[in-house]
Amino acid sequence: MRKTMTNPRYDVIVVGARCAGAPLAMLLARQGHRTLLVDRATFPSDTVSTHVIHPPGAAALRRWGLLDQVAATGCPPVGRYSFDFGPLSLAGAPGTPESPYAYAPRRTLLDKILLDAAAAAGAEVREGFTVDELIVDDDRVTGIRGGGVTEHARVVVGADGRNSVVAKAVGASVYQEQAPLTVGYYAYWSNLPTGTFEAYSRPGRGWAVCPTNDDLTMVIGGWPHAELAEHRNDVEAELMRTFAMSPAFAERIRSAKRESRLVGTSVPNYFRVPWGPGWALVGDAGYNRDYITAQGITDAFLDAENLAGALHATLSGAAKETEAGVAHQERRDARAMPFYQMTLGIAALQPPDEQMVQLVSAIAGDQDKVDAFMRLNSGVTSPADFFTPPNLGRLMTKDD
């Protein structure tokens, strides 16, 4: 990082233009802030993703006026989730009357919609732009340098993922850190019809299925990160052995055709302090969790809304930077931390504990209670609320 004097041309520069950065730039531009959005990629382009936008994420798209555009890509709405634990299966509605559906669009389509919305709102967009360094003046971030140019802003936001250039440059503190727990691989399949988000849980294995664009179905499966090297050269065969843990599903996928190469990843789990003098972090740059609960896109949307509010308060003079930054972090963690802890538990790929076995057994056959369980897994209901003793008592009590 270099030191230079500032002459801000922009209020905010957002580094990273996918599911966190593009919505943030859009929301800031809509509030009248001079916003520059940059990304080293060009669009449309693909990225590794779980695809699923849970109902709270779909509700955000609706608030922004973008849900119809996502639906118009032909991505089917998903109004039913199912969880197959082996001995017992549950299926129900994951949403609310206001936001009943999830979606799982291809990222080539979704990210372009978000980027275009930011541009339409008035943000300046530069694709194929690589940030080489941050500009710092008296310990405050004041801009970026890249592509032979320097740009200044009152705030620089890192929306550039878990390997964030911004986070590394400012030395953002990390907490609640956990090494990768699982490794997962996905591909698109034809002739595998489903109108449901299907999740399968077996000891040491898990997989999920969801419809996406072009009459294709996204199938993702995984195992403990400790087995990464063991199966690296035999991924497809190991996936098929995993699917065989459900004979009914194995029969379905044998009749299907894989239409794309297998793509895999594993991710670390962490929270980073998401703000400091002249900088902020959003989306995976600020916190990341295992992919197994497919919360990444929804988290990015909600985090972008939260940070947009904090930055607007600062830029408009309604709040001091430190005050707004602390409030943003507290709101983010209060919402995200319970899902983070639940995700780590699921990513351990251990058999359900006794309490979960009792809960699932108790609610089976009661659709209202099963739907409540689906809303937990879709992010509508916080684990902090779901797992309170009064709520568990209500769920585990048989109605007359």
Side-chain angles (χ1 to χ4, degrees):
M1 297 189 293
R2 297 180 181 173
K3 215 174 184 182
T4 186
M5 298 300 291
T6 63
N7 181 23
R9 178 180 173 188
Y10 300 98
D11 294 316
V12 182
I13 297 173
V14 182
V15 181
R18 293 196 184 268
C19 285
L24 176 64
M26 175 194 70
L27 293 169
L28 291 170
R30 286 179 178 179
Q31 294 177 96
H33 301 297
R34 298 166 298 166
T35 306
L36 171 63
L37 177 64
V38 303
D39 200 296
R40 64 184 180 183
T42 58
F43 296 83
S45 58
D46 210 353
T47 188
V48 176
S49 175
T50 54
H51 292 61
V52 178
I53 306 172
H54 291 294
L61 288 171
R62 186 183 298 278
R63 287 192 294 274
W64 304 338
L66 302 179
L67 184 58
D68 287 347
Q69 291 185 47
V70 173
T73 67
C75 182
V78 177
R80 186 175 178 84
Y81 285 14
S82 69
F83 287 83
D84 184 322
F85 299 98
L88 189 65
S89 297
L90 301 173
T96 64
E98 297 76 23
S99 185
Y101 299 117
Y103 294 83
R106 296 286 294 270
R107 291 295 296 272
T108 51
L109 301 170
L110 173 65
D111 293 3
K112 187 67 165 68
I113 290 171
L114 298 174
L115 185 81
D116 289 348
E124 180 182 338
V125 176
R126 298 186 197 174
E127 303 175 48
F129 185 100
T130 298
V131 174
D132 297 321
E133 61 181 343
L134 301 190
I135 308 302
V136 176
D137 183 19
D138 292 333
D139 296 324
R140 180 179 183 84
V141 175
T142 60
I144 62 172
R145 192 189 314 279
V149 300
T150 299
E151 298 292 359
H152 293 284
R154 296 170 65 184
V155 181
V156 174
V157 179
D160 45 345
R162 61 182 183 273
N163 297 315
S164 170
V165 170
V166 176
K168 291 177 181 177
V170 300
S173 299
V174 179
Y175 56 101
Q176 292 290 328
E177 191 172 11
Q178 171 70 55
L181 294 170
T182 65
V183 58
Y185 296 87
Y186 69 87
Y188 307 109
W189 299 71
S190 60
N191 196 34
L192 188 65
T194 181
T196 302
F197 171 75
E198 308 173 26
Y200 297 81
S201 178
R202 300 292 187 272
R205 295 294 184 270
W207 70 98
V209 178
C210 199
T212 187
N213 300 92
D214 304 319
D215 295 321
L216 297 175
T217 297
M218 191 274 292
V219 181
I220 183 169
W223 37 83
H225 188 265
E227 299 180 25
L228 172 63
E230 181 179 352
H231 304 301
R232 179 176 281 153
N233 298 321
D234 192 26
V235 169
E236 184 164 20
E238 186 59 30
L239 280 174
M240 298 311 291
R241 286 191 288 269
T242 295
F243 300 152
M245 294 179 172
S246 168
F249 181 77
E251 182 177 351
R252 286 170 60 198
I253 203 163
R254 278 195 298 268
S255 300
K257 179 184 178 183
R258 181 162 63 84
E259 300 287 356
S260 68
R261 67 186 182 94
L262 287 161
V263 178
T265 191
S266 59
V267 299
N269 307 275
Y270 57 80
F271 279 75
R272 291 178 179 138
V273 172
W275 66 278
W279 62 269
L281 303 174
V282 69
D284 289 352
Y287 70 99
N288 199 32
R289 85 308 300 142
D290 193 278
Y291 65 86
I292 200 164
T293 50
Q295 291 288 340
I297 297 176
T298 299
D299 275 352
F301 288 175
L302 300 181
D303 199 30
E305 282 192 323
N306 183 25
L307 181 57
L311 290 176
H312 177 64
T314 299
L315 295 168
S316 65
K320 295 180 179 179
E321 182 178 65
T322 299
E323 173 187 304
V326 168
H328 161 62
Q329 184 175 353
E330 289 177 346
R331 286 193 300 269
R332 182 197 71 171
D333 289 7
R335 180 187 59 80
M337 191 66 74
F339 289 108
Y340 180 83
Q341 298 294 351
M342 184 178 80
T343 297
L344 296 188
I346 295 172
L349 294 177
Q350 296 298 310
D353 60 25
E354 183 177 350
Q355 182 187 49
M356 184 58 68
V357 170
Q358 292 176 351
L359 173 63
V360 171
S361 299
I363 66 176
D366 187 322
Q367 195 59 55
D368 287 341
K369 293 179 179 179
V370 171
D371 289 348
F373 181 77
M374 298 304 153
R375 291 193 295 272
L376 165 70
N377 287 278
S378 71
V380 169
T381 302
S382 172
D385 297 324
F386 186 89
F387 288 106
T388 61
N391 191 55
L392 289 178
R394 181 186 66 80
L395 292 170
M396 297 179 74
T397 299
K398 292 291 185 182
D399 296 331
D400 295 330

